Structures are given as C-alpha cells and as structure tokens.
Amino acid sequence: MAEDALFSIFMDGIFIKNFLLIQFLGLCSFVGVTKDVKSAAGMSGAVVFVMAMASTVSYMIYTYILVPTNMQFLDLISFIVVIAALVQLVEFVVRKNIPSLYRSLGIYLPLITTNCAVLGAVLLNENAGYNFIQSVVFGIAAGLGYTIVMLMMSGIRERSTFVNVPSAIRGLPQAFFIALMLSMAFVNYFWVIPI
C-alpha cells in the first residue's frame, strides 16, 4: 500500500501537478533557457537537484525545528534561505566543474533561487502533510516533470528554427504558443489517468 502511495505521489509530481504546464510555476527559466537542448538539460539537472535537496532539508527544518518550537509562521522565510543556500552550492559546483554550462545558463542559474517552482514544491510538501519519504519522492518527481517539459520545449524550439514562421510570431510569442499546446496535451492526457 505504501508503494502505491509513493507511486501516486511520483506520478502526481511529474504529470498531474506539473509545475510548468499545469501550475505555471517557473516560467522565467522555461521561456529563457529552452532555446537549445544543452542549456535546458543543464538547467533541469540543477533544478532537480535543488528541488530534491530543498524538499529534504525543508522537511527536516519544518518538522524538527519550526513545529516543536511553535514557529511555523517562519516556514516561508526558512524555505527561501534553504533554497538560496542550495543554489549557491549548485552554482559553485557548476562553475568549477562545467564552465561552459555555467556560461550558457547565464543569469538563469542564480535565478533558481527565486524560481517559484522550487519554492512551490517545498510548500506543496508542507501543505499536503507529506512525511519525509513522500516529500523527497515529490521533490524528485516535480524536478523530473520540470526536466521532461524543459527538454520537450527545447527540442520543439530547436526544430522550429527550420520552419517558416511569420516574423510577428517568432521568439517569445512562438514559445508561449508551443507552451500552450504542450499544456493542453498534458491536461487532456494525464487528467484522465486514474492513479
């Protein structure tokens, strides 16, 4: 039974509550980094790591520090501090080990700190009352859902350079139109699957 619940949470995080296409969280990086697949993959890897670690650390802080001291009102501030620290760690590692990825991500890597998808995952964990394992599973699943959509979007945007698109629609309008089609596909396909 517990495995069924974890599988349900996992599928929920990837498809049903997809942050980019269903809840529309984290759109700044979605539109900005999906111009090529390599940058989208690097950004997605960083977001998966930050989401998983933020879910883990935030659960511990909330459960073992904020709740026993009756300071749950500090949850948002503590979650933001955790996310900022994790993003600094990711930025340091990427800059030292993969400088080309660091340059291609540009301003979007530090913007993970303010990426509402990461904070949304942590807050959804808290609001759903998930235990530790469920929080980690949802954090990883939400990151994987983010990755799937980022890679789909970047692949479509790369291929669309070979299509004759009117100049009025090129760029940002075209990206939003592609996002609209992907969102409609996710809503119509994945909401009918009973989990």
Side-chain angles (χ1 to χ4, degrees):
M1 184 65 179
E3 292 84 18
D4 292 341
L6 289 179
F7 181 73
S8 177
I9 291 169
F10 187 76
M11 296 306 281
D12 207 34
I14 293 177
F15 300 114
I16 309 301
K17 292 181 181 172
N18 188 283
F19 285 101
L20 292 172
L21 297 180
I22 306 299
Q23 298 187 29
F24 303 111
L25 297 173
L27 291 179
C28 59
S29 59
F30 177 60
V31 174
V33 181
T34 55
K35 292 177 183 154
D36 67 287
V37 175
K38 184 180 178 191
S39 295
M43 179 70 159
S44 298
V47 168
V48 169
F49 176 77
V50 171
M51 274 190 184
M53 293 306 296
S55 295
T56 304
V57 175
S58 295
Y59 174 83
M60 300 235 191
I61 288 173
Y62 184 77
T63 304
Y64 299 115
I65 296 174
L66 297 180
V67 171
T69 59
N70 201 22
M71 292 193 297
Q72 294 96 326
F73 60 91
L74 292 175
D75 61 350
L76 189 61
I77 294 170
S78 63
F79 296 162
I80 290 171
V81 169
V82 166
I83 292 167
L86 289 170
V87 169
Q88 288 300 312
L89 175 69
V90 168
E91 186 175 3
F92 177 75
V93 169
V94 169
R95 186 176 8 163
K96 288 290 182 188
N97 296 324
I98 315 169
S100 61
L101 178 61
Y102 180 76
R103 284 189 300 279
S104 70
L105 291 177
I107 189 67
Y108 295 103
L109 188 57
L111 283 179
I112 296 175
T113 303
T114 59
N115 190 333
C116 51
V118 178
L119 184 59
V122 173
L123 289 174
L124 282 174
N125 283 337
E126 177 193 343
N127 290 339
Y130 289 154
N131 63 28
F132 179 73
I133 299 296
Q134 291 170 332
S135 294
V136 173
V137 167
F138 185 76
I140 292 170
L144 291 176
Y146 182 93
T147 300
I148 289 169
V149 174
M150 289 286 283
L151 293 177
M152 287 171 57
M153 180 71 162
S154 62
I156 292 170
R157 285 185 76 181
E158 272 191 358
R159 301 252 331 179
S160 69
T161 58
F162 301 114
V163 177
N164 188 13
V165 178
S167 61
I169 300 175
R170 273 190 218 124
L172 196 57
Q174 182 182 10
F176 279 118
F177 182 73
I178 295 167
L180 167 79
M181 295 297 139
L182 286 172
S183 181
M184 287 173 40
F186 263 61
V187 167
N188 290 326
Y189 183 72
F190 293 112
W191 277 10
V192 297
I193 297 175
I195 296 180

